[in-house]
Amino acid sequence: MAALLGSNDLGSLNDVPGDLLGEIKRLEQMFIVEAPKLKEITNHFIDELAKGLSVEGGSIPMNPTWVMTRPTGYETGTFLALDMGGTNLRVCEIILPEAKGEFEIIQSKYRMPEELKTGKAEELWEYVADCLQQFIEYHHEDEKLDTLPLGFTFSYPATQDYIDHGILQRWTKGFDIEGVEGHDVVEQFEAALASRGLPIKLTALINDTTGTLVASAYTDDAMRIGCIFGTGCNAAYVENCGSIPKLADMKLPEDMPMAINCEWGAFDNEHKVLPLTPYDIIIDKESPRPGQQAFEKMVAGLYLGELFRLVLVDLHHNKECIFFHGQDISKLEKAYTLDSSFLSLIEEDPFENLSETHDLFIHKLGITAKKPELELCRRLAELIGTRAARLSSCGVAAICKKKSYASCHVGADGSVFNKYPHFKQRGAVALREILDWHADLKPDPVDIRAAEDGSGVGAAIIAALTIKRIKEGNLAGVRNKEGL
């Protein structure tokens, strides 16, 4: 039986021939990001966050969300939450009891029919309203209900002048429904609710990242930043209105809080500081939107597998080394055939002879790889995964420095954070380097930890916070206060 690798043993490179060792060294030079570079990126990130809040704007949109109070953990009431993802529609009923930071949740998932994703606007909203009606009839049969406030997690790029309004900029996640782009999705959604006479009042339209921040802050008083590290990447934090010049004409109190949805995947679209490799440049050039989402293309799960694939194809065609010699690499040559889970499996292979990686290449790609080739693949997966984690920490460090947070908790969600091996630990090491923590300083002052359910619980809490501030007379960013 193959010997198990120790947790820090990356496999011996002694049996790797010189040409492949040279390639490994070349890849290390390309993908390793040292502390001084991380600090340079972080400083530029701080400038870009500020630029996004300015009147002129910048690459990072820094969208005001009209979430204008932090949760105390003592919010109470019964709320609905609707989460419209790419695959499923999730309907939740969330009860916030009097106990601090507690919640009860009932939820149902409904599959989004494929034909809806390219259908018409009316069909989409009719289906969504049908699901809500089914949920209410099932859980509240024969009950006379008061109007239930609803928080709607709509994680598609939308322009929000109000918390209960959102104009869809463009569909993503495989959706292309006519008659929605350029329109207020709330108006269309409310029309479908009204036609059924459902006792529901849309109170807040939110992004999942803002929900992650608020849900995590509801259960944890030290929570200051919400992040998504998944197929895409994003962050949200609370800014003071006095530091948002683009809202100056609204004359809001300078110390009034405003949650900002950064949309930081667009950081450094100008390619000023990010350490791009030739492979990153290919990914950008061949993407549907070249020159956009520069940061996301280096750290998000959607692109990690493609980076890995591009390097392997390049090595195979490289005259300087012998790699996958005599193998049919036609499956490997298909763009986006690998995702970040492929790299996860390689990094998780516990055997010294990398037998699980060997089998993975046979089953997924029809390639029988030799041991030295497997060693290179293992090192490459580590390099790509580590770079993603270290660059991600630059964004977190930038918000901490901008807001002068010496210590705080960061709530993170998404498939890469939750499932990619060592992502959290590698990010923590990078934070320590960027923020110059003393070696003896334990535990880490800025702690990135698993978030609460942002798109369900977060949406409900934001609905509660919105109702509360309306009752207190703060109507900024609320379009329709009737019925609240």
Side-chain angles (χ1 to χ4, degrees):
M1 186 174 158
L4 278 169
L5 279 172
S7 59
N8 297 317
D9 185 352
L10 307 178
S12 165
L13 297 176
N14 294 339
D15 51 356
V16 176
D19 59 341
L20 288 191
L21 267 180
E23 290 302 328
I24 289 172
K25 294 233 171 346
R26 180 181 70 90
L27 292 168
E28 285 174 344
Q29 285 170 346
M30 251 188 230
F31 283 98
I32 289 173
V33 189
E34 302 287 4
K37 185 64 175 173
L38 293 177
K39 289 178 178 179
E40 182 195 350
I41 294 166
T42 301
N43 289 334
H44 187 56
F45 222 126
I46 297 167
D47 295 341
E48 290 297 301
L49 294 173
K51 198 189 281 186
L53 294 170
S54 70
V55 177
E56 301 76 31
S59 289
I60 307 178
M62 302 296 281
N63 297 327
T65 64
W66 305 104
V67 176
M68 302 178 76
T69 40
R70 294 179 190 272
T72 61
Y74 291 108
E75 288 73 19
T76 57
T78 301
F79 304 87
L80 291 178
L82 176 66
D83 177 14
M84 194 172 123
T87 315
N88 295 313
L89 187 73
R90 184 167 64 118
V91 181
C92 314
E93 181 176 307
I94 289 134
I95 298 166
L96 306 178
E98 290 185 1
K100 185 178 193 300
E102 297 292 320
F103 59 85
E104 297 162 26
I105 183 166
I106 307 163
Q107 57 186 329
S108 298
K109 277 187 181 174
Y110 305 89
R111 189 140 195 88
M112 288 293 275
E114 283 301 315
E115 62 272 16
L116 268 191
K117 295 182 183 181
T118 50
K120 293 190 166 57
E122 197 177 320
E123 294 162 351
L124 169 72
W125 302 118
E126 292 290 326
Y127 179 75
V128 172
D130 277 343
C131 293
L132 278 163
Q133 185 165 9
Q134 279 178 44
F135 182 88
I136 285 175
E137 286 172 355
Y138 181 77
H139 293 290
H140 296 280
E141 197 178 359
D142 301 328
E143 286 180 51
K144 177 120 179 63
L145 291 176
D146 290 330
T147 301
L148 288 166
L150 176 133
F152 184 0
T153 301
F154 185 76
S155 296
Y156 302 85
T159 306
Q160 273 193 279
D161 295 327
Y162 307 93
I163 196 163
D164 52 348
H165 152 100
I167 292 176
L168 177 67
Q169 293 164 354
R170 63 181 184 277
W171 282 115
T172 56
K173 303 177 192 176
F175 280 73
D176 189 16
I177 300 168
E178 65 177 72
V180 189
E181 289 183 353
H183 295 275
D184 180 8
V185 297
V186 174
E187 229 167 66
Q188 297 185 352
F189 171 65
E190 286 184 327
L193 293 182
S195 69
R196 284 166 175 68
L198 292 173
I200 295 169
K201 167 70 179 163
L202 186 137
T203 309
L205 185 76
I206 72 154
N207 175 280
D208 59 348
T209 316
T210 314
T212 295
L213 167 65
V214 171
S216 302
Y218 175 75
T219 61
D220 179 350
D221 293 337
M223 194 63 65
R224 292 291 176 271
I225 303 168
C227 292
I228 303 287
F229 302 119
T231 310
C233 67
N234 196 11
Y237 74 103
V238 177
E239 191 52 90
N240 297 325
C241 288
S243 300
I244 312 174
K246 63 185 176 185
L247 294 183
D249 58 350
M250 294 196 68
K251 299 184 170 44
L252 298 166
E254 290 206 352
D255 60 350
M256 182 173 277
M258 172 77 78
I260 298 291
N261 166 28
C262 300
E263 294 291 355
W264 75 12
F267 168 65
D268 200 32
N269 282 347
E270 306 79 13
H271 296 167
K272 284 184 181 171
V273 292
L274 288 172
L276 295 162
T277 69
Y279 308 107
D280 295 301
I281 291 163
I282 293 168
I283 280 185
D284 182 47
K285 204 188 291 180
E286 296 184 355
S287 70
R289 291 188 168 88
Q292 292 184 28
Q293 301 300 98
F295 187 58
E296 184 164 281
K297 285 169 183 167
M298 295 180 80
V299 305
L302 180 61
Y303 304 101
L304 302 186
E306 180 64 0
L307 261 178
F308 181 81
R309 186 194 73 80
L310 286 170
V311 176
L312 297 192
V313 170
D314 186 39
L315 287 172
H316 177 73
H317 294 303
N318 185 347
K319 302 284 187 290
E320 306 297 314
C321 70
I322 298 167
F323 193 78
F324 294 160
H325 181 64
Q327 298 285 324
D328 174 6
I329 70 154
S330 53
K331 285 184 179 172
L332 185 65
E333 289 194 298
K334 185 166 178 263
Y336 290 92
T337 200
L338 305 178
D339 61 15
S340 59
S341 67
F342 190 86
L343 277 69
S344 296
L345 290 168
I346 293 173
E347 287 220 51
E348 283 171 339
D349 187 346
F351 297 108
E352 183 114 31
N353 66 356
L354 299 174
S355 56
E356 290 185 358
T357 307
H358 180 268
D359 295 347
L360 183 66
F361 270 86
I362 291 172
H363 294 142
K364 178 83 178 170
L365 298 167
I367 291 171
T368 305
K370 297 185 176 74
K371 174 80 187 313
E373 293 166 342
L374 295 172
E375 295 285 6
L376 181 144
C377 291
R378 167 69 163 237
R379 185 69 185 121
L380 177 59
E382 286 162 0
L383 289 168
I384 290 171
T386 301
R387 187 186 73 164
R390 287 172 70 78
L391 290 177
S392 295
S393 287
C394 294
V396 174
I399 292 175
C400 289
K401 289 182 84 166
K402 184 182 189 308
K403 296 297 293 176
S404 302
Y405 295 146
S407 67
C408 70
H409 293 164
V410 178
D413 203 354
S415 54
V416 173
F417 180 81
N418 291 324
K419 294 178 181 171
Y420 198 95
H422 319 301
F423 186 87
K424 185 181 177 198
Q425 297 90 317
R426 290 164 174 169
V429 169
L431 274 180
R432 184 166 281 278
E433 292 172 23
I434 299 165
L435 298 172
D436 290 319
W437 297 332
H438 194 274
D440 299 336
L441 193 59
K442 297 278 168 55
D444 291 353
V446 177
D447 181 7
I448 305 179
R449 47 179 60 190
E452 292 290 347
D453 166 20
S455 50
V457 176
I461 295 163
I462 289 170
L465 294 173
T466 304
I467 292 168
K468 185 178 168 206
R469 76 173 172 89
I470 288 170
K471 284 178 177 167
E472 289 168 354
N474 178 359
L475 304 178
V478 179
R479 187 176 59 174
N480 182 8
K481 60 184 185 295
E482 300 305 316
L484 293 174

